[in-house]
Amino acid sequence: MQRIVVLAGGIGGARFLRGLMSAVPDADITVIGNTGDDIHLFGLKVCPDLDTVMYTLGGGIHEEQGWGRAGETFAVKEELAAYGVGPEWFGLGDRDFATHIVRTQMLAAGYPLSAVTEALCARWRPGVRLLPMSDDRVETHVMIDDPEGGPGARKAVHFQEYWVRMRASVDAHAIVPVGAEQAKPAPGVLEAIAAADVILFPPSNPVVSVGTILGVPGVREAVADAAAPVIGLSPIVGGAPVRGMADKVLAAVGVESTAAAVARHYGSGLLDGWLVDSVDADAVAEVEEAGIPCRAVPLMMTDVDATAAMAREALALAEEVRA
Ligand code: GDP
Ligand code: CA
């Protein structure tokens, strides 16, 4: 059985995984999920990217939105607002709340996040092994201008505050994964990478999703040293993120929002192959000049079949570079 490891963020990662599972239903897939987006709200631990993967693969996702539960209601949120208790900008529905309550309760009882995630997945049966990148707390913060702090002053805000509340409307100067230096990969993460036949970077955010996972000490080295080919799919198509605001966080790390620049950002030390969208066929030569085999294929995840075709192209490139 083919062992595939995928480093996944939220929506981009989850949708790609659905296509991958359709393309290779018998594969043994381990997902290493980003937890840098995690946030504590109302005393609860919320893990947006892990939940997006779990709900998407488990059939509970709100399809159009791409995050949160289908058939959601918001009674708890309305009641909290009636008490004047926020934040009101983070959409937590009643069904979703239950997940965070169970998670928080188990963490308080002493279980590590990896064990909690496994327990939650016992209900959702996502069909993959879903591992948080780390059991330790890592929280992505974004450095922005602080208009109240005088000329040149900056402040750090939680990634969710930047992304969800501010809609990335101001420039990000730096991305700071607080706690990353002290974090250890969760049990099974390094072992899965070492044992993989193929490692995939889905079209997830290269900075605050895949980049955060690679930033857990030991993970980048494990991926670089892995025997398996590492193949990435560009989240940038035609010079823009397909959805979301990845251009803002790419600018913060000095990377242009092009398919080729993202490939060079990962680098030939990490990537053994890179897929760009057909509209970016011009980028192939530039990526290959950087020492990364590259192909241009359709990369729009319009439906499961189109996404499965992307996954097959990634696996085909893996075989090609392995040979
Ligand atoms: P998040 O945690 O929910 O932001 O999700 P991810 O980090 O997994 O993925 C977000 C990225 O997915 C964005 O930067 C988008 O550019 C990319 N993306 C979303 N839909 C598509 C698609 O259909 N095709 C490609 N190539 N990229 C996509
Ligand atoms: Ca995310």
Side-chain angles (χ1 to χ4, degrees):
M1 208 193 313
Q2 194 176 25
R3 285 162 300 189
I4 304 175
V5 168
V6 181
L7 273 52
I11 300 180
R15 290 196 171 155
F16 175 76
L17 283 161
R18 199 154 53 177
L20 178 67
M21 292 172 71
S22 159
V24 282
D26 296 330
D28 169 356
I29 302 172
T30 298
V31 178
I32 301 172
N34 172 41
T35 57
D37 293 13
D38 293 6
I39 185 166
H40 287 77
L41 295 168
F42 315 108
L44 301 175
K45 166 96 163 167
V46 180
C47 301
D49 285 0
L50 293 180
D51 288 351
T52 293
V53 171
M54 185 173 78
Y55 293 157
T56 300
L57 301 184
I61 198 76
H62 185 303
E63 283 292 340
E64 295 72 41
Q65 202 167 251
W67 54 269
R69 293 288 312 281
E72 194 56 287
T73 52
F74 291 90
V76 174
K77 192 179 181 199
E78 284 159 21
E79 290 295 312
L80 288 164
Y83 284 110
V85 174
E88 78 301 323
W89 48 264
F90 202 88
L92 288 184
D94 300 331
R95 292 171 189 272
D96 202 17
F97 258 112
T99 302
H100 312 315
I101 290 169
V102 173
R103 173 184 293 124
T104 307
Q105 191 174 339
M106 285 189 72
L107 288 169
Y111 291 96
L113 183 62
S114 48
V116 175
T117 304
E118 194 180 337
L120 294 172
C121 285
R123 171 184 174 194
W124 289 103
R125 305 189 172 281
V128 299
R129 188 156 73 115
L130 177 59
L131 303 176
M133 65 188 198
S134 177
D135 280 335
D136 302 317
R137 186 165 166 173
V138 177
E139 231 174 59
T140 304
H141 285 67
V142 181
M143 292 298 297
I144 59 172
D145 285 335
D146 179 9
E148 269 116 71
R154 289 178 176 179
K155 64 175 178 181
V157 294
H158 190 288
F159 171 74
Q160 298 295 353
E161 187 171 357
Y162 179 73
W163 203 252
V164 180
R165 185 174 79 79
M166 307 177 78
R167 306 232 137 263
S169 56
V170 299
D171 286 344
H173 299 299
I175 309 297
V176 187
V178 179
E181 278 169 32
Q182 294 81 38
K184 290 177 298 298
V189 165
L190 298 181
E191 293 81 352
I193 292 169
D197 297 312
V198 181
I199 298 170
L200 300 177
F201 294 177
S204 280
N205 190 305
V207 181
V208 293
S209 293
V210 179
T212 308
I213 300 168
L214 291 170
V216 175
V219 173
R220 180 183 299 275
E221 296 73 13
V223 171
D225 294 348
V230 180
I231 308 293
L233 298 93
S234 178
I236 302 294
V237 172
V242 179
R243 54 181 290 167
M245 304 152 284
D247 46 330
K248 288 287 191 172
V249 289
L250 279 165
V253 297
V255 177
E256 232 187 309
S257 281
T258 65
V262 173
R264 277 190 274 108
H265 172 63
Y266 284 131
S268 59
L270 214 51
L271 287 178
D272 299 303
W274 184 245
L275 295 180
V276 300
D277 188 83
S278 310
V279 303
D280 295 314
D282 287 356
V284 170
E286 183 186 344
V287 175
E288 296 209 320
E289 267 163 42
I292 304 164
C294 183
R295 304 285 175 271
V297 298
L299 287 189
M300 297 300 281
M301 298 189 285
T302 44
D303 55 35
V304 175
D305 287 347
T307 313
M310 288 165 52
R312 280 190 213 100
E313 292 287 356
L315 296 173
L317 183 54
E319 290 320 308
E320 205 179 307
V321 301
R322 198 199 305 276

